[in-house]
Amino acid sequence: MRGEEAKIIAIYYAAIPDMLKEFRRQKSDIEDEYYNGIRGINMDGMPHGSNPGRPTELFGVAAAENDAGRRLAEIETRIRVLERDRELIGDSIDALNGKYKKLLSLRYQHDYSWTKISFRMGKPDSTVRNWHDRALERLGGAPGDGPMGGEILLRASRARK
């Protein structure tokens, strides 16, 4: 894998927490809309079927009509894939030398400028940029060459669009 592909994966890695947060919010919204009324609890602690005037059957019919179960399953799958990608890419980044790992973290996770990075690392801007290129080369040899590397790159490329 080339350095540019590793850069795409590093950007994707930094975006995964926000994507996970959004999918979990969508999942919660679907559950609130269709299922939490079915699983509700009365004030006395006893389970009830629905809000007053809205029978449990209506929640079930609405969930079926809107394909809520399939949508929840799809979201769960996406969450599992993102968590696995985060783990694989994180392991690859963790395997890098300390300065390369720190540099990639500052650049892609914290979105620091080159000036801020060189100040934080106490090195000239040109040195930091050279380290960045080396870090991407070393990262490029890790997740992209593994069994799922091509799939991760494909998902990372799609996530940028």
Side-chain angles (χ1 to χ4, degrees):
M1 178 186 326
R2 296 184 336 262
E4 187 60 33
E5 293 170 339
K7 184 177 179 180
I8 291 168
I9 288 178
I11 292 168
Y12 171 63
Y13 178 70
I16 287 175
D18 289 335
M19 292 189 298
L20 283 169
K21 187 182 209 179
E22 176 60 22
F23 282 128
R24 287 183 177 124
R25 186 199 56 76
Q26 289 176 12
K27 179 183 172 194
S28 177
D29 288 349
I30 292 170
E31 288 174 341
D32 286 346
E33 185 174 348
Y34 298 111
Y35 296 111
N36 287 345
I38 296 172
R39 295 188 298 240
I41 305 271
N42 281 332
M43 295 295 282
D44 62 0
M46 297 299 293
H48 71 87
S50 65
N51 296 327
R54 191 163 183 197
T56 303
E57 294 82 21
L58 290 180
F59 282 110
V61 169
E65 285 176 352
N66 291 301
D67 228 0
R70 181 195 55 77
R71 288 172 39 210
L72 284 173
E74 186 179 291
I75 289 170
E76 278 295 325
T77 301
R78 288 182 178 182
I79 288 171
R80 280 194 306 274
V81 168
L82 284 172
E83 287 173 342
R84 181 68 179 143
D85 286 355
R86 180 176 60 183
E87 181 182 329
L88 289 171
I89 298 167
D91 289 348
S92 298
I93 290 173
D94 286 343
L96 293 175
N97 178 324
K99 67 183 176 187
Y100 297 140
K101 179 180 172 181
K102 180 178 180 180
L103 192 150
L104 291 178
S105 172
L106 292 172
R107 182 71 179 160
Y108 297 107
Q109 290 182 307
H110 300 291
D111 203 26
Y112 277 21
S113 67
W114 291 116
T115 306
K116 283 184 179 179
I117 295 171
S118 35
F119 179 77
R120 286 284 300 254
M121 297 187 84
K123 298 293 178 187
D125 188 72
S126 59
T127 301
V128 169
R129 288 177 187 257
N130 285 335
W131 286 355
H132 175 260
D133 293 341
R134 284 191 213 135
L136 289 179
E137 287 173 12
R138 291 182 183 191
L139 179 64
D145 294 338
M148 293 183 58
E151 294 174 22
I152 291 174
L153 180 60
L154 182 63
R155 283 191 293 276
S157 298
R158 287 181 181 164
R160 291 182 58 189
K161 295 178 181 176

